[in-house]
Every structure is written in C-alpha cells, then in structure tokens.
Amino acid sequence: MLRLFRRRRRRSRTAAPTITPRSEGLAAVRVELAELTPAAEPFLGQAGYLLLVLFENLGRAVALAPTTAAKTTLSRAAAQVLEAHEGLVTELLSSGADPVAAMDPFRQPLDEYQRRIEGNDWAEILVTCYLTTGFLTDFFVGVAGGLPPGLADRVALLLDVDRAEQVLEGELRSLIEQNPRMASRLAMWGRRLIGDTMLVARSALVAAPGADGPQLDRIEPVFTELIGAHTRRMDALGLTA
Amino acid sequence: MLRLFRRRRRRSRTAAPTITPRSEGLAAVRVELAELTPAAEPFLGQAGYLLLVLFENLGRAVALAPTTAAKTTLSRAAAQVLEAHEGLVTELLSSGADPVAAMDPFRQPLDEYQRRIEGNDWAEILVTCYLTTGFLTDFFVGVAGGLPPGLADRVALLLDVDRAEQVLEGELRSLIEQNPRMASRLAMWGRRLIGDTMLVARSALVAAPGADGPQLDRIEPVFTELIGAHTRRMDALGLTA
C-alpha cells in the first residue's frame, strides 16, 4: 500500500504507530481542494475548533474504554488531536491573529455537529471516532493544500494524527461478533454520521472566496474519494456503508 | 511567593503558563514521603492510571466549557495530563515493564474513584478538576522523591502539569457570583471530593514495602500541608474547606 501522506513518528517510543493505509485517490483530494481553500485565519479557526470536537469524542471513548490497553491507546490518539489543536492555535498566534476570535464563529455550528454525532453508548462512540476522525482530517489536509506553501506543509503534518483506527476497529469487531444484531443499528448510525460530517466538510469550502456553483461541482470527485475511504472503513467492520 | 517546584515552559509559545503559587510547606512533602515510596513499577502504574482519571475529568470540562477561550485553555491542561501519562508509560517501557500490566491492578479502584468524583454538572466538574489535579499531582511528586534519583527527577517534571487553576477558579467564581446559593452545595462537594482523594493518596503509600503503623503516622504532617494547599484553593473561591 502506498503511503501518500507523511506519518509522524514522534510517538514511536511508546508503541508501534497505527499505520493507516490510505488510497492513491486521496492524494488527488489535496490537489482538487487546494483552489477552494479559505483564507488562512478562518481555515485555522475552523480546523482548530473541529479538533476540539474530535477530541471530545475521543475523550469520551477514553473514559468508557473497558480495558487499560484500549484506554491508553485511545488516550494517545486524544493527545495527538489536542497537540494538533495547539499547533493550529500557535499558527494563529504567530500570524498575529487572536485564536479565540478565529475559532469562535465556528463554535455554534460545530458544537451542534458534536451533539448530533456524539453517540449514546460505547459502540456508537467508537463508530463516531472511527469514521469522523479519518474523514475530516483527510478532508482538511486536502483543503490545507491551498494555504501558503510553508503553512500548508506544517498544517498537513499537524493534521496527520494517530486515529487509533486499529484499536477502534478491533473493539468494534469484537462488539459486533458478540452481538451480531448490533450491526444494522451501527450501519445506520454510520450513514447518519457521514451525512452530518459531509455537511461540515462542505461548509469549510463554501467560505472560500469566489466559491460558486461550478467551483463546488469540482468537489464531487473529491467526496467520491473520501467516501471510498469511508466505505473501506465500514467494510472492515463488515458493515454496509 | 516562592516557586519550589520546577514549572515546565514548553507551552509558553501558545499562552502565558498558569503559574500556580505553591507553599513552602509543600517542599517538605517531598522529603517526608520519600521513605514511603513504593517500587518504581507500581508507582508508575498507579500514577499512570491516575493521570487517565484526571484527564477524563478535564476532558469532560473541555466538552462542557461554555466559551471557546475556556475550552482551549482547559484542552491545554488536558493535553499536559495526557503527555504526563505517556511519559510514565515510556518510563515503564524503558524499564522493561509492560505498562498495561503495571496499570491494571489500579484500574478498578481508580475507576471507582473517578465515578465518585466526576460530578453531575458543569460546576461540580470544575470543582473536581480544580481540587483533585493539584492535590494528587503535589502528592505524587512528593512520593516520587523516593524513586531512584534520575527517575525521581523525570517523574517530578512530568507530573508538574498545567492545572489550569486560573481558568477553573475564574469560571467557578463567576458561577458562584451569579448564583450565591450554589456556594454551600459546592463546599460540600469539595469536602466529599477531598475525602475520597485522600484515600486514593494513602493507598499509594500502603503499598510501600515495610509500611506499618508508625511509618504511616509520619504521613500526617504531609497531609496537613496538602490540606493547607487545598484550603487555600477553597478560600480562593470564597468556600469553606
């Protein structure tokens, strides 16, 4: 499997990093989205607040994890997401922006998104973390391609977080094996999640200067790739996307 | 105010660090507790798991924070607690121990502790984070004094986390000002918390080899100092300890 995104290895002291196989098609996402990238400040503000939302979900997963091993692996993923958040806050500060003011316009819609996707039990929380962290970080790495070159690279590196996909997948597979009737409920939950997640992704682009109908048409093949990656995640659980 | 513990400054790029004034008496805690320190592996296992518990509480505070500013400050504290957890896991690995096996014996009692202290609303969660993070990290820094010298220093540095005390205190003061009748409920909550927290602290020492009655008597002055720091935190909120 080609590895088209750089992986950080900083955490390799404490455990083997989770290597996420990513498709060739996702490389194209980066190119396609670059032209629809908003200005640096709203991009960093939205991505910065979004990472807090992804963190909240991982934090709930840490709290509910039934074993020490799952808890500590998920906490590593949560830590990387917070580190990425802080990295974006640092970028805002060094550009002279007020990080709180940059994030604030995205608070209400992203809090609303979080409430919709947070899930009601351990299984739903796992599905949320598993599906949304990958989708949204892939997407925002793609959008970051349109930022000024140095910033684009730093942001792509920050957003290349450990998604703990292996542990999430393992926990979910064992839940579904123990209770196969859970599969249809989780498949439905996954579909609802991804609908809400695509709306959040789109909203990042609508803010782009000059974005209009024809430009937005260009997003469709991008979403096709992201949904392909999403479908592979669902397949790995034996669920229908 | 003397600063008797080293403060990490790694986060100073993103914001002024929260400087926690610590009393002279707390320096003595380190000396007094050193002789009651358990072996490295159970110490690191218990402290490692405990940091996950402190993190869970901070994670809940991040999720419920009503402003972007509070959210991002609390997330910084949560990130440092997770970093400290990872640092202890790294120490366990480099000593040849299995981190999960080292933490596991502490899971059940510390999960039970977490359930007792997690709090039912934003105010109680804030009080929990405010009171327990300081008490327990002071205490474990004290106990770490008895570890082999190099390890003792590294652990003390790891446990010297940002406790976000300023933001927690600010949020709590404004809640109490808006609703003064809340004060007695929160004072009672604080007393209950600290009772449970002292039991957790004591349990770290009972495991020490050779710990017996007379040795445990030596803990009393130590707790007197820790409770002094606790009382100052309560005073800062205008609450009776």
Side-chain angles (χ1 to χ4, degrees), chain B residues 98-207:
Chain B
D98 173 352
V100 169
M103 289 188 280
D104 236 10
F106 303 102
R107 183 160 73 93
Q108 190 270 326
L110 291 177
D111 280 357
E112 173 61 26
Y113 169 65
Q114 201 275 332
R115 272 190 296 274
R116 290 177 59 83
I117 67 166
E118 65 179 3
N120 292 313
D121 59 19
W122 170 235
E124 289 187 0
I125 292 168
L126 288 177
V127 172
T128 293
C129 293
Y130 180 63
L131 295 180
T132 63
T133 311
F135 191 100
L136 287 169
T137 54
D138 275 345
F139 177 81
F140 275 85
V141 166
V143 180
L147 296 171
L151 179 60
D153 290 343
R154 292 194 301 278
V155 167
L157 204 62
L158 283 169
L159 290 177
D160 190 15
V161 294
D162 179 359
R163 302 145 175 208
E165 284 188 6
Q166 281 174 352
V167 68
L168 291 165
E169 188 187 311
E171 292 287 336
L172 276 166
R173 286 172 72 100
S174 92
L175 286 176
I176 294 168
E177 271 164 26
Q178 283 161 42
N179 184 359
R181 293 174 56 199
M182 195 182 269
S184 65
R185 173 166 70 90
L186 294 182
M188 194 147 46
W189 177 244
R191 280 193 290 275
R192 178 179 146 186
L193 274 181
I194 219 64
D196 285 334
T197 301
M198 284 176 65
L199 290 176
V200 164
R202 252 175 210 286
S203 75
L205 297 176
V206 170

Side-chain angles (χ1 to χ4, degrees), chain A residues 105-123:
Chain A
F106 303 101
R107 182 159 74 92
Q108 189 269 327
L110 290 178
D111 280 356
E112 172 62 26
Y113 169 65
Q114 202 276 331
R115 272 191 296 275
R116 289 176 59 84
I117 68 165
E118 66 179 2
N120 292 314
D121 59 19
W122 170 234

Side-chain angles (χ1 to χ4, degrees), chain A:
Chain A
M1 189 67 79
L2 285 173
R3 285 175 50 243
L4 295 151
F5 291 79
R6 280 159 299 180
R7 300 294 306 165
R8 281 186 301 182
R9 297 288 183 153
R10 285 176 303 156
R11 300 287 160 170
S12 58
R13 285 175 308 145
T14 53
T18 307
I19 302 295
T20 313
R22 304 186 187 187
S23 82
E24 256 182 89
L26 286 176
V29 168
R30 192 160 182 178
V31 177
E32 293 291 328
L33 288 178
E35 289 176 34
L36 301 168
T37 306
E41 186 173 327
F43 173 86
L44 294 170
Q46 184 170 19
Y49 200 90
L50 183 65
L51 287 166
L52 289 176
V53 167
L54 298 178
F55 161 73
E56 283 173 32
N57 293 322
L58 282 164
R60 297 178 76 218
V62 171
L64 292 175
T67 64
T68 304
K71 219 178 185 66
T72 201
T73 307
L74 291 168
S75 81
R76 200 147 49 229
Q80 281 203 13
V81 167
L82 280 179
E83 234 175 87
H85 162 78
E86 275 193 55
L88 298 182
V89 166
T90 303
E91 289 292 345
L92 282 163
L93 282 170
S94 60
S95 76
D98 172 353
V100 169
M103 289 188 280
D104 236 10
F106 303 101
R107 182 159 74 92
Q108 189 269 327
L110 290 178
D111 280 356
E112 172 62 26
Y113 169 65
Q114 202 276 331
R115 272 191 296 275
R116 289 176 59 84
I117 68 165
E118 66 179 2
N120 292 314
D121 59 19
W122 170 234
E124 288 186 2
I125 292 168
L126 288 177
V127 172
T128 294
C129 293
Y130 180 63
L131 295 180
T132 63
T133 312
F135 191 100
L136 287 169
T137 55
D138 275 344
F139 177 81
F140 276 85
V141 166
V143 180
L147 296 171
L151 179 60
D153 290 343
R154 292 194 301 277
V155 167
L157 204 60
L158 284 169
L159 290 178
D160 189 14
V161 294
D162 180 359
R163 300 145 174 203
E165 284 188 5
Q166 282 174 353
V167 69
L168 292 165
E169 189 187 310
E171 292 288 334
L172 277 166
R173 285 172 72 100
S174 92
L175 286 175
I176 295 168
E177 274 164 28
Q178 283 160 42
N179 184 0
R181 293 174 58 199
M182 195 183 266
S184 66
R185 174 168 69 90
L186 294 182
M188 193 144 52
W189 177 245
R191 281 194 288 276
R192 178 179 146 187
L193 274 181
I194 220 61
D196 284 336
T197 302
M198 285 175 65
L199 290 176
V200 164
R202 250 175 213 286
S203 76
L205 297 175
V206 170
D212 54 20
Q215 244 187 331
L216 286 175
D217 288 347
R218 294 192 49 203
I219 307 171
E220 291 315 317
V222 168
F223 275 106
T224 304
E225 288 301 332
L226 291 169
I227 289 166
H230 165 71
T231 304
R232 285 188 291 280
R233 284 184 203 106
M234 294 289 270
D235 284 348
L237 301 178
L239 299 181
T240 312

Side-chain angles (χ1 to χ4, degrees), chain B residues 11-12 20 22 56 62 76 82 84 127 143 146 191 195-196 221:
Chain B
R11 302 285 160 171
S12 59
T20 313
R22 303 183 189 190
E56 283 173 33
V62 171
R76 200 148 46 231
L82 280 181
V127 172
V143 180
R191 280 193 290 275
D196 285 334

